[in-house]
Amino acid sequence: MVTKEEILQNFNPNDIGIDNGNFLGLPFDYESANIIVFGVPWEVTVSYGGGTASGPGRVLAASRQLDIYDFDNPEGWKQGIFMGEIPAHIQQKNEAKRQDATRIIEHLEQGYRIEDDPDLSQILKNIARECQNVNQWLFDNATAAINQGKKVAVIGGDHSVPLGYIQALAQHYPDFGILHIDAHADLRDAYEGFQYSHASIMFNALQLPQISKLVQVGIRDICQDEINIIQQSNGRISTYYDPMLKQKLYAGIPWLEICKQIVAELPQQVYISFDVDGLDPKLCPNTGTPVPGGLELEQTYCLFRELLHSGRQIIGFDICEVGDGEWDGNVGARAVYKLCNLMALSQ
């Protein structure tokens, strides 16, 4: 068995990225890696653009084009990062259930109610069961990795994907916060009838009492019900709306100062949930639900660095809604690698 020391001695980080099936072409396997990355090709409940189920594959393919040197953590690759095979059984289920979900969405958009059609009601139940199966798969695999002392990262897929991982973290951390980068608040209760909708991820996550704080950044597409949930949360949810952030920047308030204010609201241990539609759409134009406005990638990095500078710990992260495009994969891969390196530094 090859030791980690031998792996490090025999790998040249300056060489061309090898197509070995692993993130960045790194030479690690499950046993030798400190960070395990799960790609989850699931987008059954998407309500606008499709293609995010291809996100994990796009990120993996694009990662081999990245140079490995990272300005925040130059030797971060040495911790070992391993991305397991993208599960084909989830991809196959996604393709079948996506068609069923489309029928339901089209039915709703015509003004009909699901409960008036027994067949569609059963389809809705079947979709919920398959979504729960994906949650359970991720919960089981994330728990196994955490129990071995490893850190976990998740690549979606739509933003419903990381729920099983967040539930696994709740078994290990009695009090943690979520730093949520997004164009949407994702606080819908069973949006379009789907209990595990991409627009319901934060509503579902907040059912976990271990999550003491949700801090949202970049939100700019929201409904009144979500506004009410935020306002009635007794401070459990803090939302930094994109128009208000822009207004502060236009008034000359430095972004770094704003980042410090955001970070100050978070507890000691923080999970980062990064929906790439929180970025300016030029960065990930094929994301599922693009919205004008948003953050630059370096603005998010600045915010993440402030987490480290404050002494807080990044306990895990997800990158979701990466679209089916080469440039989207490139940006997504850079965000994944940056967060892997920052998470290592935060330990």
Side-chain angles (χ1 to χ4, degrees), residues 110 151 183 188 199 207 246 254 273 287:
Q110 294 170 7
K151 296 297 179 183
R188 305 267 196 160
Q207 306 312 304
K246 295 295 196 305
S273 190
T287 189

Side-chain angles (χ1 to χ4, degrees), residues 3-25:
T3 66
K4 189 168 185 178
E5 289 72 21
E6 291 172 323
I7 292 173
L8 294 175
Q9 289 173 1
N10 294 322
F11 178 74
N12 183 355
N14 303 297
D15 277 347
I16 186 172
I18 302 299
D19 185 5
N20 63 357
N22 192 22
F23 186 73
L24 292 171

Side-chain angles (χ1 to χ4, degrees), residues 50 245 262 272:
L245 291 175
I262 293 170
I272 295 175

Side-chain angles (χ1 to χ4, degrees), residues 104-317:
I104 289 175
I105 293 170
E106 290 175 348
H107 196 79
L108 291 170
E109 288 176 344
Q110 294 170 7
Y112 300 109
R113 300 190 312 167
I114 299 301
E115 53 266 34
D116 294 336
D117 187 324
D119 290 340
L120 288 180
S121 296
Q122 186 58 50
I123 288 173
L124 190 64
K125 292 178 182 177
N126 292 342
I127 289 173
R129 183 175 63 251
E130 292 300 339
C131 289
Q132 181 55 44
N133 288 341
V134 173
N135 291 339
Q136 189 64 50
W137 177 87
L138 186 55
F139 176 89
D140 292 342
N141 282 276
T143 298
I146 294 169
N147 286 341
Q148 294 181 49
K150 300 179 185 295
K151 296 297 179 183
V152 171
V154 171
I155 306 173
D158 71 33
H159 208 172
S160 71
V161 159
L163 183 60
Y165 175 31
I166 297 171
Q167 292 169 334
L169 287 172
Q171 302 296 308
H172 292 80
Y173 297 95
D175 178 11
F176 67 98
I178 296 179
L179 176 58
H180 174 208
I181 310 297
D182 208 320
H184 311 86
D186 290 348
L187 291 167
R188 305 267 196 160
D189 182 0
Y191 183 57
E192 295 178 324
F194 302 115
Q195 180 182 357
Y196 300 106
S197 169
H198 67 102
S200 302
I201 177 64
M202 292 304 154
F203 181 91
N204 292 330
L206 287 173
Q207 306 312 304
L208 298 168
Q210 294 91 337
I211 298 173
S212 58
K213 187 76 178 188
L214 170 64
V215 177
Q216 305 179 299
V217 181
I219 311 303
R220 54 195 186 276
D221 224 12
I222 193 168
C223 74
Q224 185 63 54
D225 283 347
E226 292 174 301
I227 292 283
N228 294 342
I229 287 174
I230 293 166
Q231 292 177 343
Q232 296 166 12
S233 71
N234 294 318
R236 191 180 182 204
I237 307 172
S238 291
T239 304
Y240 288 81
Y241 300 103
D242 193 59
M244 287 67 170
L245 291 175
K246 295 295 196 305
Q247 198 69 22
K248 289 183 178 182
L249 292 172
Y250 301 153
I253 299 175
W255 176 245
L256 188 60
E257 185 61 37
I258 296 172
C259 289
K260 291 178 180 179
Q261 295 173 11
I262 293 170
V263 168
E265 298 213 48
L266 288 159
Q268 179 62 28
Q269 293 171 318
V270 179
Y271 175 85
I272 295 175
S273 190
F274 191 169
D275 183 329
V276 297
D277 71 27
L279 299 170
D280 185 308
K282 70 175 182 283
L283 292 165
C284 287
N286 295 295
T287 189
T289 317
V291 182
L295 303 170
E296 295 294 335
L297 189 60
E298 277 297 335
Q299 284 183 299
T300 67
Y301 291 171
C302 180
L303 177 57
F304 301 155
R305 290 185 189 107
E306 281 309 301
L307 274 176
L308 268 66
H309 296 161
S310 73
R312 287 169 173 80
Q313 180 188 16
I314 300 172
I315 61 174
F317 71 88

